[in-house]
């Protein structure tokens, strides 16, 4: 229905495969665009500006902060990372459904600025599945596994703030389901006020013309 | 995901084909149950108690009103009509997705009592399509057409209160889409608190056990 794109915020547990899911969605359907982050960190070998990241100087980045051009940003270990708003808005206007893969704090910041965004949290089929993935082949140190499980517990806070959960059991199935979730979100009433009003006004005209 | 059924409230313009859509959904998928209304009007030839309606005496109906066993009810031309709550709740518990076809006032009453219900408004592809259906073959009196168009304008108020609109262009396509809307509603976070809590608690236990 609605012609404007939808911003979909995708979060989920580390190791749950949400990156692969997003990649698959971009491969299988052509109505999606990936939100590209901006950063002030050094470009690495193999990276390209505007693909992996938009690479900005510290000054440029802070200028954009001033101009409110970030949906969210943060500073990690001396480098800025953020989601440029103008890029996302431009893609949405062109009718692209924009995918933003981001952790929960960033997600909630974006949701505040764009409350119409769709939010999805990717889950494992069971805690056991996730544990197996995090523990790995048993060759990891106890501290590493402890840290990973601690992080998973942290990541599990606030799942209720997301619109939908998506259980990533089978990659093909989950990709299809993710696409359906976004596709059907276009039919939400609040995204179709123009269409609803148009029909309402036309019916009034017809009644007068009888 | 969630094992409990979902109550889906379906409204829409007269003549838009929502009855056919509901019938088709019940035919094509076996997870649905139709909400059956109760009434105090006389049973007609060919009707069966518990199929077309639950036929109640005035006393029985008023008893049930006292016991708050109606999701909504109204009195038309001396007869009561209502949606029995116990029947809907029983079907939902059994995991059935219950369909309730009802006009907007009734829909909003039900939504107040069961805010977790999914609400869908069936729309024509355009006002022109609806007009053509309402005007018919041009053999109707002006007053009849006027009344129908007036009703359509009335029905168009409050569409924004529904969760989704469903454009009924092609019956097969719309039936599929309606099924998807209800199927995906099962993945809404608020319908999966048990699953979310279970995973969260299990992860905490795993962390302690390391």
């Amino acid at each position: 229905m609605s012609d404007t794109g939808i911003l979909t915020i995708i979060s989920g547990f580390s190791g749950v495969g949400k990156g692969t899911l997003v990649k698959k969605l971009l491969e299988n359907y052509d109505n999606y665009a990936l939100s590209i982050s901006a950063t002030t960190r050094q470009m690495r070998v193999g990276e390209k500006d505007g693909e992996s990241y938009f690479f900005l100087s510290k000054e440029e980045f802070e200028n954009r902060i001033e101009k409110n051009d970030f949906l969210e940003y943060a500073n990690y270990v001396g480098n800025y990372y953020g989601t440029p708003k103008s890029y996302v808005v431009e893609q949405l206007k062109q009718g692209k459904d924009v995918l933003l893969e981001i952790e929960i704090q960033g997600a909630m910041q974006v949701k505040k600025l764009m409350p119409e965004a769709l939010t999805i949290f990717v889950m494992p089929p069971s805690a056991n599945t996730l544990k197996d993935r995090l523990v790995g082949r048993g060759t990891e140190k106890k501290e590493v596994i402890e840290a990973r499980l601690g992080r998973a517990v942290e990541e599990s806070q606030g799942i209720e703030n997301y619109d939908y959960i998506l259980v990533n059991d089978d990659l093909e199935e989950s990709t299809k389901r993710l696409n359906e979730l976004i596709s059907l979100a276009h039919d939400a009433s609040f995204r179709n006020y123009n269409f609803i009003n148009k029909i309402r006004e036309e019916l009034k005209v017809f009644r007068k013309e009888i």
Side-chain angles (χ1 to χ4, degrees), chain A:
Chain A
M1 283 302 313
S2 69
D3 294 335
T4 318
I6 291 176
L7 174 62
T8 302
I9 301 172
I10 300 169
S11 304
F13 292 105
S14 303
V16 82
K18 53 189 185 298
T20 316
L21 206 54
V22 166
K23 211 178 138 209
K24 196 85 193 160
L25 197 65
L26 287 160
E27 272 171 25
N28 290 7
Y29 306 90
D30 56 12
N31 55 308
Y32 293 104
L34 187 64
S35 162
I36 299 167
S37 299
T39 183
T40 56
R41 80 151 166 75
Q42 282 299 111
M43 203 188 294
R44 289 172 196 156
V45 178
E47 288 184 332
K48 259 178 95 175
D49 187 38
E51 273 188 17
S52 10
Y53 284 97
F54 294 113
F55 292 95
L56 304 179
S57 70
K58 202 184 162 204
E59 206 188 335
E60 287 171 317
F61 203 105
E62 290 176 345
N63 262 334
R64 292 227 202 165
I65 294 175
E66 287 296 312
K67 288 184 196 154
N68 290 319
D69 185 36
F70 286 107
L71 287 175
E72 57 79 42
Y73 71 94
N75 198 311
Y76 297 111
V77 218
N79 284 312
Y80 283 118
Y81 294 83
T83 307
K85 188 174 164 184
S86 45
Y87 181 77
V88 168
V89 170
E90 187 47 45
Q91 298 292 320
L92 293 176
K93 265 191 201 158
Q94 286 176 27
K96 288 281 182 185
D97 289 320
V98 179
L99 308 171
L100 173 59
E101 192 197 327
I102 196 169
E103 38 58 62
I104 189 161
Q105 286 85 357
M108 293 303 115
Q109 282 184 53
V110 177
K111 182 79 185 168
K112 253 188 210 164
L113 288 178
M114 301 190 79
E116 72 281 13
L118 178 70
T119 55
I120 297 173
F121 196 93
V122 186
M123 306 273 284
S126 72
N128 260 317
T129 329
L130 188 63
K131 185 188 156 199
D132 290 348
R133 287 184 204 167
L134 296 178
V135 169
R137 294 178 214 149
T139 53
E140 302 276 14
K141 278 187 187 161
K142 198 189 155 193
E143 292 77 45
V144 175
I145 294 168
E146 234 170 8
R148 284 185 189 164
L149 280 171
R151 191 172 166 189
V153 171
E154 267 175 46
E155 287 167 338
S156 74
Q157 308 304 319
I159 301 176
E160 290 90 343
N161 296 323
Y162 287 76
D163 296 324
Y164 292 95
I165 60 167
L166 177 70
V167 175
N168 190 16
D169 202 347
D170 173 88
L171 179 62
E172 288 298 334
E173 268 307 305
S174 301
T175 307
K176 223 180 117 205
R177 202 140 180 98
L178 181 54
N179 177 56
E180 281 175 1
L181 276 171
I182 299 171
S183 161
L184 290 173
H186 282 271
D187 293 351
S189 298
F190 80 87
R191 290 195 182 92
N192 291 281
Y193 286 162
N194 289 344
F195 175 64
I196 293 170
N197 278 328
K198 190 167 170 277
I199 289 212
R200 189 149 45 207
E201 292 314 312
E202 284 176 9
L203 284 174
K204 283 182 192 164
V205 171
F206 291 154
R207 190 179 46 174
K208 275 186 202 155
E209 286 171 354
I210 288 288

